[in-house]
Amino acid sequence: MTSRGVPHFFALPDREDAGAVARRLQPEALGLRVLYHPSGRPWIIGRWADEDIAVARTGTDAVALIGMLPKRTDELARRTGKLRGGTEGLKDLSAAFPGSFHVVGSVSGVLYVQGTAYGMRRVHHTVVDGCPVAGDRAVALADLVGAEIDLTALAMRLPEPLAAQLPPRSMWRAVTDVAPGACLIVPAGRAAPRHVRRHTPPAPVRPAADGAAAVREALAAAVAVRTERDGLLSADLSGGLDSTTLCSFAAGQLGAGELIVGGIPGDETISDDAH
């Protein structure tokens, strides 16, 4: 198993045979970090910065948020304490905190892995010597099992935008994608992993003005997760409403950080993006 030197993680079920998978990942040799199930078995192995993870534990339950997180995640401990051995409460964690992150749970021996609702952060899984293994990078799982590229899946990606209308399919054989809006649950024992729908787009029942205020508040909070870290930020400024809005929020929130925006000027007779 080679390390690509970028943030990534593998999530293992609370099973005896997960120990062999953990050794195969060579965490000590590759400088990977390891978190453990409440049982003491290896749970999450990977590479991440301290600020990119928050973990809470209560009895036989543990929850980790991995990704772009706010500085304060005190609420995570309270919510973990209310799980009471069931994974249902994990589905709402993405809405409880601003940012962009994976939710990984170990709840009474059940492994739960969830990405973002619309595919920004994905979940994939494979089987290593009979043991299910989940992760956020399909290529890392493919490396782990020596999977070959799925040429059919590759062909399906070529005719864009048609590819967006096709069901999700991994680019590697033996690696399975979890669709955006679904989560992966690996039950305790030897039951097969399953995908469970955890998010559907809400019905348009709110007045536009109310909805706009809620979207503005959510966007401001999400951008603040990034700007509160200070340092250097970069963003695309293409002239559309989405990038312009995000860049405006970022510029208004900057403390000691710096924002660099980039764009590609086009034909100004048909587009005023550059202006």
Side-chain angles (χ1 to χ4, degrees):
M1 176 67 191
T2 58
S3 172
R4 295 176 180 270
V6 294
H8 65 283
F9 71 85
F10 301 91
L12 310 178
D14 192 1
R15 293 171 29 169
E16 289 286 351
D17 54 358
V21 178
R23 290 189 292 274
R24 187 167 173 172
L25 290 170
Q26 306 175 64
E28 293 186 2
L30 298 178
L32 303 179
R33 306 176 73 168
V34 183
L35 298 179
Y36 295 90
H37 287 281
S39 67
R41 297 189 180 109
W43 173 32
I44 304 173
I45 300 176
R47 188 186 306 278
W48 55 79
D50 289 342
E51 62 187 358
D52 292 334
I53 193 166
V55 182
R57 299 177 180 271
T58 303
T60 60
D61 302 337
V63 180
L65 309 182
I66 307 174
M68 186 65 66
L69 302 171
K71 288 185 176 180
R72 294 187 61 85
T73 54
D74 303 347
E75 176 71 6
L76 180 60
R78 187 185 72 83
R79 288 176 175 267
T80 301
K82 296 176 65 176
L83 292 175
R84 296 182 177 88
T87 61
E88 194 63 29
L90 296 174
K91 298 178 181 179
D92 299 326
L93 285 180
S94 291
F97 302 95
S100 172
F101 49 86
H102 284 86
V103 178
V104 185
S106 174
V107 182
S108 295
V110 175
L111 175 65
Y112 178 100
V113 188
Q114 170 189 307
T116 52
Y118 298 101
M120 177 65 185
R121 293 181 184 268
R122 301 293 303 275
V123 176
H124 319 271
H125 61 103
T126 189
V127 177
V128 181
D129 296 331
C131 181
V133 181
D136 62 332
R137 291 183 174 272
V139 65
L141 292 170
D143 282 348
L144 181 62
V145 296
E148 297 180 349
I149 291 178
D150 186 334
L151 295 181
T152 300
L154 175 61
M156 291 170 63
R157 299 290 182 95
L158 297 179
E160 291 200 24
L162 176 63
Q165 311 305 320
L166 298 174
R169 177 166 174 164
S170 171
M171 292 287 288
W172 288 269
R173 298 185 184 278
V175 177
T176 302
D177 288 350
V178 178
C183 61
L184 174 70
I185 295 180
V186 182
R190 298 285 172 170
R194 66 181 191 272
H195 301 182
V196 177
R197 172 62 56 180
R198 63 97 183 169
H199 172 83
T200 54
V205 295
R206 300 182 66 175
D210 290 348
V215 169
R216 177 186 178 86
E217 181 179 348
L219 283 175
V223 174
V225 171
R226 290 151 177 79
T227 57
E228 71 181 359
R229 296 189 178 195
D230 296 326
L232 177 64
L233 299 175
S234 64
D236 172 54
L237 185 58
S238 63
L241 289 177
D242 50 356
S243 63
T244 300
T245 301
L246 295 177
C247 288
S248 295
F249 274 127
Q253 295 174 358
L254 282 178
E258 180 182 2
L259 175 65
I260 295 178
V261 297
I264 301 176
D267 184 351
E268 293 191 8
T269 62
I270 59 174
S271 170
D272 61 357
D273 284 359
H275 174 72

